[in-house]
Protein backbone atom coordinates (compact mmCIF):
# COMPACT_ATOMS: atom_id res chain seq x y z
CA UNK A 1 0.00 0.00 0.00
CA UNK A 2 1.37 3.38 -1.06
CA UNK A 3 1.08 6.62 0.93
CA UNK A 4 1.58 10.16 -0.32
CA UNK A 5 3.25 12.42 2.26
CA UNK A 6 2.82 16.15 1.67
CA UNK A 7 4.96 18.39 3.86
CA UNK A 8 7.34 21.33 3.86
CA UNK A 9 11.02 20.94 4.69
CA UNK A 10 13.14 24.11 4.90
CA UNK A 11 16.52 23.98 3.18
CA UNK A 12 18.18 25.51 6.24
CA UNK A 13 17.51 25.08 9.92
CA UNK A 14 15.51 22.56 11.89
CA UNK A 15 11.78 21.99 11.46
CA UNK A 16 10.09 19.97 14.17
CA UNK A 17 7.08 19.26 11.99
CA UNK A 18 9.26 18.03 9.12
CA UNK A 19 11.23 15.83 11.52
CA UNK A 20 8.01 14.38 12.95
CA UNK A 21 6.72 13.60 9.45
CA UNK A 22 9.96 11.94 8.41
CA UNK A 23 9.82 9.66 11.45
CA UNK A 24 6.46 8.40 10.15
CA UNK A 25 7.78 8.08 6.59
CA UNK A 26 10.83 6.08 7.67
CA UNK A 27 8.97 4.01 10.25
CA UNK A 28 6.17 2.92 7.93
CA UNK A 29 8.71 2.20 5.19
CA UNK A 30 10.51 -0.12 7.60
CA UNK A 31 7.17 -1.85 8.16
CA UNK A 32 6.81 -2.54 4.43
CA UNK A 33 4.61 0.33 3.28
CA UNK A 34 5.48 2.20 0.08
CA UNK A 35 5.65 5.99 0.06
CA UNK A 36 5.78 9.00 -2.23
CA UNK A 37 6.96 12.37 -0.89
CA UNK A 38 5.72 15.71 -2.19
CA UNK A 39 7.82 18.45 -0.57
CA UNK A 40 6.10 21.81 -0.64
CA UNK A 41 8.46 24.80 -0.94
CA UNK A 42 9.33 26.97 2.04
CA UNK A 43 10.89 30.42 2.02
CA UNK A 44 14.40 30.63 3.51
CA UNK A 45 13.78 32.87 6.53
CA UNK A 46 17.31 32.48 7.87
CA UNK A 47 18.65 34.90 5.25
CA UNK A 48 19.32 38.50 6.23
CA UNK A 49 17.28 39.70 3.24
CA UNK A 50 14.75 38.00 0.97
CA UNK A 51 15.10 39.32 -2.57
CA UNK A 52 12.57 39.47 -5.40
CA UNK A 53 14.46 36.62 -7.05
CA UNK A 54 13.86 34.43 -3.98
CA UNK A 55 10.11 35.11 -4.21
CA UNK A 56 10.07 34.33 -7.95
CA UNK A 57 11.90 31.07 -7.36
CA UNK A 58 9.40 30.24 -4.60
CA UNK A 59 6.44 30.81 -6.96
CA UNK A 60 8.02 28.64 -9.64
CA UNK A 61 8.64 25.89 -7.09
CA UNK A 62 5.06 26.18 -5.88
CA UNK A 63 3.71 25.86 -9.44
CA UNK A 64 5.82 22.76 -9.99
CA UNK A 65 4.50 21.34 -6.71
CA UNK A 66 0.86 21.86 -7.77
CA UNK A 67 1.51 20.16 -11.09
CA UNK A 68 3.09 17.20 -9.30
CA UNK A 69 0.08 16.95 -6.98
CA UNK A 70 -2.24 16.88 -9.98
CA UNK A 71 -0.27 14.04 -11.53
CA UNK A 72 -0.23 12.07 -8.27
CA UNK A 73 -4.01 11.89 -8.19
CA UNK A 74 -3.72 9.21 -10.86
CA UNK A 75 -1.41 7.09 -8.66
CA UNK A 76 -2.60 3.99 -6.84
CA UNK A 77 -2.56 5.56 -3.39
CA UNK A 78 -4.01 3.94 -0.27
CA UNK A 79 -3.53 7.06 1.91
CA UNK A 80 -2.51 10.71 1.87
CA UNK A 81 -0.81 12.32 4.87
CA UNK A 82 -0.58 16.12 4.90
CA UNK A 83 1.50 17.98 7.47
CA UNK A 84 -0.44 21.22 7.40
CA UNK A 85 1.11 24.64 7.87
CA UNK A 86 -1.12 27.06 9.77
CA UNK A 87 -0.48 30.47 8.23
CA UNK A 88 -3.00 31.43 5.51
CA UNK A 89 -0.35 31.07 2.78
CA UNK A 90 0.83 27.70 4.09
CA UNK A 91 -2.74 26.41 4.38
CA UNK A 92 -3.48 27.49 0.81
CA UNK A 93 -0.27 25.84 -0.38
CA UNK A 94 -0.86 22.57 1.45
CA UNK A 95 -4.64 22.62 0.98
CA UNK A 96 -4.36 22.99 -2.80
CA UNK A 97 -1.86 20.11 -2.90
CA UNK A 98 -4.28 18.01 -0.88
CA UNK A 99 -7.22 18.96 -3.13
CA UNK A 100 -5.34 18.21 -6.37
CA UNK A 101 -3.91 14.90 -5.16
CA UNK A 102 -7.25 13.58 -3.83
CA UNK A 103 -9.60 14.93 -6.51
CA UNK A 104 -12.02 12.21 -7.58
CA UNK A 105 -10.98 9.67 -4.97
CA UNK A 106 -14.08 8.09 -3.41
CA UNK A 107 -12.87 4.63 -2.43
CA UNK A 108 -13.88 3.49 1.05
CA UNK A 109 -10.39 2.03 1.49
CA UNK A 110 -8.69 5.37 0.80
CA UNK A 111 -7.76 7.47 3.87
CA UNK A 112 -6.67 11.10 4.06
CA UNK A 113 -5.10 12.42 7.26
CA UNK A 114 -4.12 16.02 8.09
CA UNK A 115 -1.47 16.32 10.81
CA UNK A 116 -1.02 19.45 12.94
CA UNK A 117 2.24 20.19 14.73
CA UNK A 118 2.07 23.88 15.57
CA UNK A 119 -0.54 25.60 17.71
CA UNK A 120 -1.32 28.80 15.80
CA UNK A 121 -4.91 27.56 15.46
CA UNK A 122 -5.33 28.15 19.19
CA UNK A 123 -5.48 31.90 18.45
CA UNK A 124 -8.23 31.67 15.82
CA UNK A 125 -11.91 32.31 16.41
CA UNK A 126 -14.68 30.34 14.72
CA UNK A 127 -15.52 32.93 12.06
CA UNK A 128 -12.04 34.14 11.09
CA UNK A 129 -10.59 33.60 7.61
CA UNK A 130 -8.04 31.06 8.85
CA UNK A 131 -10.70 28.95 10.59
CA UNK A 132 -12.95 28.94 7.53
CA UNK A 133 -10.05 27.94 5.27
CA UNK A 134 -9.06 25.27 7.78
CA UNK A 135 -12.57 23.78 7.85
CA UNK A 136 -12.61 23.66 4.04
CA UNK A 137 -9.40 21.63 4.11
CA UNK A 138 -10.58 19.29 6.87
CA UNK A 139 -13.78 18.51 4.92
CA UNK A 140 -11.58 16.71 2.41
CA UNK A 141 -9.93 14.47 4.99
CA UNK A 142 -11.00 11.58 7.22
CA UNK A 143 -8.96 12.55 10.28
CA UNK A 144 -7.00 15.48 11.68
CA UNK A 145 -4.35 14.72 14.28
CA UNK A 146 -3.11 16.94 17.10
CA UNK A 147 -0.64 16.43 19.91
CA UNK A 148 -2.75 16.60 23.05
CA UNK A 149 -6.13 16.97 24.72
CA UNK A 150 -5.84 20.77 25.01
CA UNK A 151 -5.46 21.09 21.25
CA UNK A 152 -8.28 18.64 20.57
CA UNK A 153 -10.78 20.75 22.51
CA UNK A 154 -9.68 23.89 20.67
CA UNK A 155 -10.23 22.17 17.31
CA UNK A 156 -13.71 21.05 18.36
CA UNK A 157 -14.53 24.65 19.36
CA UNK A 158 -13.42 25.77 15.89
CA UNK A 159 -16.06 23.53 14.33
CA UNK A 160 -14.11 20.35 13.58
CA UNK A 161 -16.20 17.22 14.30
CA UNK A 162 -14.90 15.52 17.44
CA UNK A 163 -14.95 12.15 15.67
CA UNK A 164 -12.36 13.43 13.18
CA UNK A 165 -9.87 14.68 15.77
CA UNK A 166 -7.26 12.13 16.87
CA UNK A 167 -4.50 12.66 19.43
CA UNK A 168 -1.11 11.30 18.36
CA UNK A 169 1.75 12.55 20.59
CA UNK A 170 5.19 13.21 19.14
CA UNK A 171 8.09 10.80 19.51
CA UNK A 172 11.88 10.84 19.37
CA UNK A 173 14.01 9.37 16.63
CA UNK A 174 16.26 7.96 19.38
CA UNK A 175 15.68 4.91 21.55
CA UNK A 176 17.00 6.66 24.62
CA UNK A 177 19.56 5.93 27.34
CA UNK A 178 19.56 3.50 30.23
CA UNK A 179 18.83 4.55 33.80
CA UNK A 180 22.37 3.52 34.77
CA UNK A 181 23.83 5.79 32.08
CA UNK A 182 21.77 8.72 33.38
CA UNK A 183 22.77 8.11 37.00
CA UNK A 184 26.45 7.95 36.05
CA UNK A 185 26.22 11.09 33.92
CA UNK A 186 24.85 13.16 36.78
CA UNK A 187 27.65 12.16 39.16
CA UNK A 188 29.75 14.86 37.41
CA UNK A 189 33.02 13.00 37.58
CA UNK A 190 34.90 15.63 35.56
CA UNK A 191 33.51 18.54 37.62
CA UNK A 192 31.87 20.11 34.57
CA UNK A 193 28.13 20.91 34.38
CA UNK A 194 26.95 20.85 30.77
CA UNK A 195 23.93 22.91 29.76
CA UNK A 196 22.26 22.78 26.33
CA UNK A 197 19.88 24.90 24.28
CA UNK A 198 19.07 23.25 20.94
CA UNK A 199 16.42 24.68 18.63
CA UNK A 200 15.95 27.15 15.82
CA UNK A 201 17.11 30.46 17.28
CA UNK A 202 13.82 32.31 17.18
CA UNK A 203 13.86 34.83 19.99
CA UNK A 204 10.51 33.70 21.39
CA UNK A 205 11.92 30.17 21.72
CA UNK A 206 13.86 31.65 24.64
CA UNK A 207 17.47 31.71 23.47
CA UNK A 208 18.03 35.34 24.66
CA UNK A 209 16.83 34.41 28.15
CA UNK A 210 19.07 31.34 28.02
CA UNK A 211 22.17 33.37 27.12
CA UNK A 212 21.36 36.01 29.72
CA UNK A 213 20.92 33.27 32.32
CA UNK A 214 24.25 31.64 31.44
CA UNK A 215 25.90 35.07 31.68
CA UNK A 216 24.57 35.43 35.21
CA UNK A 217 25.53 31.95 36.46
CA UNK A 218 28.27 31.02 38.89
CA UNK A 219 29.07 27.30 39.15
CA UNK A 220 29.37 25.54 42.50
CA UNK A 221 32.83 25.80 44.06
CA UNK A 222 35.32 23.58 42.27
CA UNK A 223 33.09 23.12 39.20
CA UNK A 224 32.90 24.69 35.75
CA UNK A 225 29.98 25.27 33.40
CA UNK A 226 30.09 24.37 29.71
CA UNK A 227 27.04 25.69 27.90
CA UNK A 228 26.05 25.11 24.28
CA UNK A 229 23.82 27.21 22.03
CA UNK A 230 22.90 25.13 18.98
CA UNK A 231 20.69 26.19 16.09
CA UNK A 232 20.46 28.66 13.21
CA UNK A 233 19.32 32.22 13.85
CA UNK A 234 15.85 32.45 12.35
CA UNK A 235 13.58 35.47 11.93
CA UNK A 236 9.86 34.68 11.65
CA UNK A 237 6.57 36.57 11.99
CA UNK A 238 6.59 35.33 15.59
CA UNK A 239 9.89 37.00 16.45
CA UNK A 240 9.56 39.84 18.93
CA UNK A 241 13.00 40.96 20.06
CA UNK A 242 14.94 40.92 16.78
CA UNK A 243 13.69 42.07 13.39
CA UNK A 244 16.66 41.06 11.25
CA UNK A 245 19.25 38.31 11.07
CA UNK A 246 22.11 40.81 11.42
CA UNK A 247 20.62 42.38 14.54
CA UNK A 248 20.22 38.99 16.20
CA UNK A 249 23.68 37.83 15.11
CA UNK A 250 25.39 40.91 16.54
CA UNK A 251 23.56 40.51 19.86
CA UNK A 252 24.44 36.81 20.12
CA UNK A 253 28.12 37.41 19.34
CA UNK A 254 28.36 40.17 21.92
CA UNK A 255 26.67 38.08 24.60
CA UNK A 256 28.89 35.05 23.90
CA UNK A 257 31.98 37.26 24.18
CA UNK A 258 30.82 38.50 27.59
CA UNK A 259 30.06 34.97 28.81
CA UNK A 260 33.42 33.61 27.69
CA UNK A 261 35.22 36.33 29.64
CA UNK A 262 34.54 34.25 32.76
CA UNK A 263 37.19 31.70 33.81
CA UNK A 264 34.55 29.27 35.08
CA UNK A 265 31.83 29.54 32.40
CA UNK A 266 32.29 28.79 28.70
CA UNK A 267 29.70 28.87 25.93
CA UNK A 268 30.06 27.01 22.64
CA UNK A 269 28.12 28.15 19.57
CA UNK A 270 26.98 25.57 17.00
CA UNK A 271 24.95 26.31 13.88
CA UNK A 272 23.31 22.90 13.80
CA UNK A 273 23.60 19.29 14.91
CA UNK A 274 21.96 16.23 13.37
CA UNK A 275 21.89 12.50 13.90
CA UNK A 276 24.86 11.18 15.91
CA UNK A 277 26.22 14.67 16.55
CA UNK A 278 22.91 15.79 18.06
CA UNK A 279 22.67 12.56 20.06
CA UNK A 280 26.12 13.28 21.53
CA UNK A 281 24.97 16.72 22.69
CA UNK A 282 22.02 15.20 24.55
CA UNK A 283 24.16 12.39 25.99
CA UNK A 284 26.66 14.90 27.40
CA UNK A 285 24.18 17.52 28.64
CA UNK A 286 23.06 17.51 32.26
CA UNK A 287 20.51 20.31 31.83
CA UNK A 288 18.39 21.11 28.77
CA UNK A 289 16.76 24.53 28.53
CA UNK A 290 13.87 25.59 26.27
CA UNK A 291 12.07 28.52 27.97
CA UNK A 292 9.73 29.01 25.04
CA UNK A 293 7.08 31.68 24.51
CA UNK A 294 6.72 30.73 20.83
CA UNK A 295 3.11 31.21 19.75
CA UNK A 296 3.02 28.17 17.47
CA UNK A 297 4.88 25.87 19.85
CA UNK A 298 3.18 22.53 20.21
CA UNK A 299 5.19 19.55 21.48
CA UNK A 300 8.89 20.17 20.74
CA UNK A 301 10.79 17.06 19.71
CA UNK A 302 13.93 18.39 21.39
CA UNK A 303 12.26 18.23 24.82
CA UNK A 304 11.33 14.59 24.23
CA UNK A 305 14.89 13.89 23.03
CA UNK A 306 16.34 15.59 26.09
CA UNK A 307 14.25 13.34 28.35
CA UNK A 308 15.36 10.31 26.33
CA UNK A 309 18.98 10.95 27.30
CA UNK A 310 18.43 11.93 30.91
CA UNK A 311 18.71 15.70 30.79
CA UNK A 312 17.03 17.67 33.56
CA UNK A 313 14.66 19.88 31.56
CA UNK A 314 13.81 23.56 32.13
CA UNK A 315 10.87 24.66 29.99
CA UNK A 316 7.57 26.55 29.94
CA UNK A 317 3.81 26.06 29.66
CA UNK A 318 3.18 26.97 25.99
CA UNK A 319 1.41 24.61 23.62
CA UNK A 320 1.33 20.99 24.70
CA UNK A 321 4.45 21.20 26.85
CA UNK A 322 2.35 20.65 30.01
CA UNK A 323 1.20 17.31 28.54
CA UNK A 324 4.77 16.45 27.56
CA UNK A 325 6.48 17.02 30.91
CA UNK A 326 5.36 17.23 34.53
CA UNK A 327 6.94 18.39 37.79
CA UNK A 328 8.70 15.03 38.14
CA UNK A 329 10.43 15.33 34.78
CA UNK A 330 11.09 19.07 34.41
CA UNK A 331 11.11 22.49 36.00
CA UNK A 332 8.14 24.15 34.29
CA UNK A 333 8.10 27.96 34.29
CA UNK A 334 4.83 29.85 34.02
CA UNK A 335 6.82 32.98 33.19
CA UNK A 336 10.10 32.03 31.45
CA UNK A 337 11.82 35.39 31.98
CA UNK A 338 15.56 35.75 32.51
CA UNK A 339 15.37 35.77 36.31
CA UNK A 340 13.23 32.64 36.49
CA UNK A 341 15.35 30.80 33.93
CA UNK A 342 18.52 31.75 35.82
CA UNK A 343 17.09 30.56 39.12
CA UNK A 344 15.91 27.26 37.63
CA UNK A 345 19.29 26.49 36.07
CA UNK A 346 21.13 27.54 39.23
CA UNK A 347 18.93 25.25 41.33
CA UNK A 348 19.77 22.27 39.12
CA UNK A 349 23.48 23.14 39.09
CA UNK A 350 23.64 23.28 42.89
CA UNK A 351 21.43 20.30 43.75
CA UNK A 352 22.87 17.06 42.37
CA UNK A 353 20.13 14.92 43.89
CA UNK A 354 17.28 17.01 42.44
CA UNK A 355 18.94 17.19 39.03
CA UNK A 356 19.38 13.42 38.83
CA UNK A 357 15.85 12.83 40.14
CA UNK A 358 14.30 15.06 37.45
CA UNK A 359 16.50 13.50 34.75
CA UNK A 360 15.42 9.97 35.73
CA UNK A 361 11.80 11.14 35.91
CA UNK A 362 12.11 12.43 32.36
CA UNK A 363 13.63 9.16 31.15
CA UNK A 364 10.78 7.20 32.76
CA UNK A 365 8.18 9.47 31.15
CA UNK A 366 9.89 9.13 27.77
CA UNK A 367 9.91 5.33 28.00
CA UNK A 368 6.24 5.22 29.01
CA UNK A 369 4.67 7.89 26.80
CA UNK A 370 6.90 8.40 23.77
CA UNK A 371 7.75 4.90 22.64
CA UNK A 372 8.56 4.87 18.93
CA UNK A 373 7.00 1.51 18.16
CA UNK A 374 3.76 2.53 19.81
CA UNK A 375 3.83 5.78 17.85
CA UNK A 376 4.19 3.98 14.54
CA UNK A 377 1.49 1.54 15.55
CA UNK A 378 -0.90 4.46 16.06
CA UNK A 379 -0.17 5.82 12.58
CA UNK A 380 -0.38 2.40 10.94
CA UNK A 381 -3.80 1.72 12.45
CA UNK A 382 -5.09 5.19 11.63
CA UNK A 383 -3.95 5.26 8.00
CA UNK A 384 -4.45 1.67 6.95
CA UNK A 385 -6.90 0.09 9.38
CA UNK A 386 -9.04 3.13 10.31
CA UNK A 387 -8.64 2.30 13.99
CA UNK A 388 -8.15 5.03 16.60
CA UNK A 389 -5.87 4.05 19.47
CA UNK A 390 -5.38 5.60 22.93
CA UNK A 391 -7.97 8.36 22.77
Amino acid sequence: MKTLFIYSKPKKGFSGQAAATELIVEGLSDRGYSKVKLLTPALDRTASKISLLVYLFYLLSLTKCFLSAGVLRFSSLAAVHVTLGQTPIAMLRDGICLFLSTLGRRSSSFVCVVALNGSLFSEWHHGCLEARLFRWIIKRCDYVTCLGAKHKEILVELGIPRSKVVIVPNVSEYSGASARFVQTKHELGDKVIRILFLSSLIDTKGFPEYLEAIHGLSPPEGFKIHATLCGPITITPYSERFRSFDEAQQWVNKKISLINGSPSVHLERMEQAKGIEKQALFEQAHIFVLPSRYKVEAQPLVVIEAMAFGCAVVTSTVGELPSTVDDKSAIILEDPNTLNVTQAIATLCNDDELRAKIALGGLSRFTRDFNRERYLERWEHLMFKRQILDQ
Side-chain angles (χ1 to χ4, degrees):
M1 291 184 282
K2 186 181 295 184
T3 303
L4 169 62
F5 290 91
I6 302 172
Y7 64 105
S8 180
K9 183 178 182 180
K11 292 183 178 179
K12 296 182 181 179
F14 175 79
S15 166
Q17 68 177 18
T21 304
E22 289 177 345
L23 281 173
I24 303 169
V25 174
E26 294 167 8
L28 292 181
S29 294
D30 291 343
R31 291 186 172 210
Y33 294 96
S34 301
K35 89 279 186 179
V36 180
K37 295 193 291 186
L38 178 61
L39 299 181
T40 58
L43 282 171
D44 178 12
R45 297 188 182 278
T46 64
S48 56
K49 293 182 180 179
I50 302 178
S51 66
L52 178 60
L53 186 60
V54 170
Y55 281 110
L56 289 173
F57 181 77
Y58 175 77
L59 290 174
L60 287 173
S61 300
L62 194 58
T63 301
K64 181 180 177 182
C65 189
F66 291 158
L67 291 173
S68 298
V71 171
L72 285 167
R73 68 181 285 262
F74 299 105
S75 302
S76 55
L77 299 174
V80 172
H81 177 287
V82 184
T83 305
L84 188 70
Q86 293 171 44
T87 64
I89 291 176
M91 281 196 289
L92 276 173
R93 176 197 66 197
D94 300 339
I96 291 172
C97 287
L98 169 64
F99 175 79
L100 292 173
S101 61
T102 60
L103 187 64
R105 293 187 183 273
R106 296 289 183 269
S107 171
S108 60
S109 62
F110 176 77
V111 178
C112 179
V113 181
V114 167
L116 300 177
N117 291 90
S119 62
L120 183 58
F121 63 84
S122 64
E123 300 184 336
W124 301 342
H125 60 83
H126 190 277
C128 71
L129 173 64
E130 292 90 343
R132 294 198 303 269
L133 177 57
F134 181 64
R135 286 193 293 271
W136 175 81
I137 293 170
I138 300 306
K139 281 183 180 179
R140 301 201 61 82
C141 76
D142 298 284
Y143 302 109
V144 55
T145 70
C146 61
L147 300 168
K150 176 182 174 182
H151 285 177
K152 179 171 183 174
E153 293 307 314
I154 293 171
L155 291 172
V156 171
E157 290 174 6
L158 288 172
I160 305 303
R162 185 178 293 273
S163 60
K164 277 193 173 186
V165 185
V166 182
I167 298 172
V168 183
N170 258 332
V171 73
S172 169
E173 66 179 292
Y174 305 112
S175 299
S178 68
R180 179 59 188 158
F181 172 87
V182 174
Q183 289 171 333
T184 301
K185 177 169 77 166
H186 284 277
E187 291 172 2
L188 303 180
D190 61 359
K191 304 295 184 182
V192 178
I193 302 172
R194 292 179 170 80
I195 308 171
L196 173 64
F197 180 104
L198 191 157
S199 179
S200 296
L201 300 191
I202 302 167
D203 55 23
T204 47
K205 289 270 190 178
F207 81 83
E209 288 78 9
Y210 171 73
L211 289 181
E212 288 165 347
I214 297 299
H215 186 209
L217 283 177
S218 296
E221 186 176 350
F223 285 77
K224 291 186 177 182
I225 288 175
H226 184 282
T228 301
L229 178 71
C230 182
I233 291 174
T234 307
I235 305 300
T236 79
Y238 312 106
S239 300
E240 294 177 359
R241 187 163 178 168
F242 305 113
R243 294 301 175 187
S244 72
F245 176 91
D246 290 341
E247 180 188 1
Q249 182 73 71
Q250 290 172 11
W251 186 90
V252 168
N253 290 342
K254 182 178 179 180
K255 186 60 69 174
I256 292 175
S257 178
L258 291 171
I259 291 169
N260 288 339
S262 168
S264 58
V265 181
H266 177 75
L267 189 133
E268 178 183 5
R269 173 78 176 100
M270 298 176 66
E271 287 292 330
Q272 65 175 1
K274 298 179 179 180
I276 294 175
E277 186 179 22
K278 183 171 70 166
Q279 177 177 330
L281 288 176
F282 285 119
E283 287 178 333
Q284 295 164 10
H286 304 102
I287 302 167
F288 178 80
V289 185
L290 188 74
S292 180
R293 295 178 288 104
Y294 189 48
K295 288 183 179 180
V296 292
E297 197 75 85
Q299 193 176 52
L301 283 171
V302 287
V303 171
I304 296 172
E305 291 166 342
M307 291 193 294
F309 289 105
C311 303
V313 173
V314 176
T315 191
S316 66
T317 60
V318 297
E320 287 289 348
L321 276 167
S323 69
T324 308
V325 296
D326 57 16
D327 58 6
K328 295 180 181 179
S329 57
I331 293 180
I332 307 170
L333 303 175
E334 292 283 346
D335 182 6
N337 59 38
T338 297
L339 176 60
N340 290 339
V341 173
T342 304
Q343 290 176 341
I345 297 174
T347 296
L348 293 172
C349 286
N350 287 285
D351 192 332
D352 295 346
E353 184 177 346
L354 176 63
R355 187 181 62 250
K357 183 179 179 181
I358 289 177
L360 288 168
L363 177 62
S364 176
R365 191 174 179 90
F366 165 80
T367 303
R368 184 185 72 239
D369 296 341
F370 303 103
N371 178 281
R372 184 175 181 178
E373 287 305 308
R374 188 60 172 159
Y375 175 76
L376 293 174
E377 186 180 50
R378 290 187 180 106
W379 279 109
E380 183 178 14
H381 278 73
L382 185 63
M383 295 172 66
F384 303 112
K385 301 178 182 179
R386 288 180 175 265
Q387 295 176 358
I388 299 174
L389 303 180
D390 296 340
Q391 283 289 281

